[in-house]
Amino acid sequence: MATARAERLVNLVLCLLSTRQYLTAERIRGIVPGYTDAPNDEAFFRTFERDKSELRDLGVPLETGRNSAFDAADGYRIARRDYELGDIGLEPDEAAAVALALRLWDSPELTGAARGALLKLRAAGVDVDDRAAGTIEPKVRTSEPAFPALLAAVQAGRVVTFDYRRPNEVRAQQRTVEPWGVVAWRGRWYLVGHDRDRRAPRCFRLSRVQGEPKAQGRAGAVTRPPDVDLLTMVAGEQREAPPSTPVRLWAVPGRAQGLRRRASVVDSMRLDGIEGDVLELELSYPDSAASWIAGYGPDVVVLEPDVLRKSVHEAHLGAAAAAGARGDEAGEVRG
């Protein structure tokens, strides 16, 4: 099933499960993401009929009815009593398998669209069942910007190109990869595939992908080798920790105590007219420490290495942009 269609069906289920009223097709069209893109009425109704048949084939109890005798058209809803499962007893290994599968069903696009559907329901005056918000709940946050494009390339079997910056490298380099899969390991997401530039299988951490990945070539050109275990490849590549990297920082006296517990004061230095301490510490993954160091704000400045200094600066810019966006939203609400 195509990703867009799957998302539309999930949003449709959430919409119909979240209301006690019957919703007409036209009302659903204005609420559920995916239907508003229909070029005309005929295309919408054709898609909607297919989706209804798909839900019934999947065993979703779709009800048809009218809220009152004055309604001109039938509406649709899903009765919670028929939709919810009874108590299920799972063995420990079965429960672990279910928990692992749930990790693959988290997408910021999916959850964002679902929440948007609920907001539209409330805005339209529809009585929303608040308990439905917990029916479809993400378990692992997939916040990497490159995730949707790379996953789409894997599903389509297309070659993908992207800029990738390795640890201790200032500049990103373009990579061309035949993608085999996207997997999570120890809280991080990785793309696994055949690197055409290196002519060998490689793993790429999604947080190091710069910009928007671009798929190229025909669909179905890439197939995953049957004997490849993606998770084993990622775990094997990450098992040996890289050599530690010396890091030099400037910090305001008396500030950043958490950082100071891991560092040593080696010198003093005036920066922008402020006297501060020069700290040194060793980091095995300096690029991963960017958000941690950025959390100290202007009290800490990275002196070396340059790649970490740049990452911290980008984290500051991202935080400032997010704060500005929240301020704009608050202003719109007050207005």
Side-chain angles (χ1 to χ4, degrees):
M1 185 184 300
T3 302
R5 184 182 179 191
E7 291 182 3
R8 188 178 65 246
L9 288 175
V10 171
N11 288 324
L12 178 59
V13 170
L14 182 58
C15 173
L16 297 180
L17 192 64
S18 302
T19 176
R20 299 179 181 89
Q21 304 175 23
Y22 290 103
L23 300 180
T24 64
E26 284 295 339
R27 206 165 191 184
I28 292 172
R29 182 181 184 179
I31 292 172
V32 177
Y35 290 131
T36 55
D37 298 333
N40 51 53
D41 293 344
E42 181 181 354
F44 160 68
F45 283 109
R46 186 168 57 248
T47 301
F48 184 55
E49 288 299 323
R50 284 201 305 265
D51 288 350
K52 287 193 300 180
S53 298
E54 183 75 25
L55 291 183
R56 290 190 174 105
D57 291 342
L58 292 173
V60 177
L62 193 63
E63 291 185 348
T64 303
R66 303 189 182 190
N67 298 311
S68 72
F70 300 100
D71 290 344
D74 287 338
Y76 307 89
R77 72 180 182 185
I78 298 173
R80 178 177 292 275
R81 65 181 181 276
D82 298 326
Y83 180 81
E84 291 181 340
L85 294 174
D87 293 337
I88 299 176
L90 296 176
E91 297 297 327
D93 57 338
E94 296 173 329
V98 172
L100 180 61
L102 285 174
R103 297 178 63 192
L104 302 179
W105 280 95
D106 174 37
S107 167
E109 290 75 17
L110 175 59
T111 55
R115 289 170 184 164
L118 288 179
L119 290 176
K120 288 184 178 181
L121 278 171
R122 293 190 177 96
V126 176
D127 184 16
V128 173
D129 186 352
D130 291 332
R131 294 177 301 165
T135 304
I136 302 174
E137 184 69 22
K139 299 301 179 182
V140 176
R141 181 65 58 184
T142 311
S143 58
E144 300 296 349
F147 182 89
L150 293 176
L151 181 61
V154 170
Q155 294 173 332
R158 300 180 65 190
V159 175
V160 65
T161 61
F162 52 85
D163 292 333
Y164 190 74
R165 191 177 72 188
R166 298 181 60 189
N168 303 323
E169 288 185 353
V170 177
R171 296 182 178 276
Q173 297 182 4
Q174 188 180 80
R175 312 296 280 269
T176 301
V177 178
E178 299 173 9
W180 295 339
V182 179
V183 296
W185 189 76
R186 292 190 176 180
R188 302 184 185 279
W189 287 92
Y190 296 84
L191 171 72
V192 183
H194 179 79
D195 188 338
R196 286 187 173 180
D197 302 300
R198 272 63 178 176
R199 299 181 180 180
R202 288 289 187 271
C203 303
F204 304 90
R205 188 191 296 181
L206 266 60
S207 61
R208 295 173 181 161
V209 175
Q210 308 290 302
E212 179 74 10
K214 294 180 174 56
Q216 61 184 32
R218 64 178 180 85
V222 178
T223 57
R224 171 181 163 185
D227 58 342
V228 169
D229 187 325
L230 304 182
L231 196 58
T232 299
M233 286 185 61
V234 173
E237 185 169 293
Q238 303 299 321
R239 188 173 294 117
E240 295 183 3
S244 58
T245 301
V247 175
R248 288 173 61 88
L249 309 159
W250 176 91
V252 174
R255 302 291 183 88
Q257 296 302 323
L259 189 150
R260 289 175 180 272
R261 283 194 290 269
R262 299 184 54 181
S264 302
V265 179
V266 296
D267 201 352
S268 61
M269 174 182 173
R270 181 175 292 273
L271 186 64
D272 293 334
I274 302 175
E275 192 69 28
D277 299 322
V278 177
L279 310 178
E280 283 189 355
L281 72 159
E282 300 282 333
L283 295 176
S284 297
Y285 301 95
D287 58 326
S288 302
S291 59
W292 170 54
I293 296 174
Y296 292 105
D299 292 338
V300 175
V301 177
V302 178
L303 303 177
E304 297 175 359
D306 188 60
V307 64
L308 179 59
R309 181 189 60 77
K310 183 178 180 180
S311 297
V312 171
H313 178 65
E314 291 173 351
H316 286 157
L317 292 178
R326 289 194 296 268
D328 292 341
E329 292 177 358
E332 292 176 0
V333 172
R334 288 194 295 270

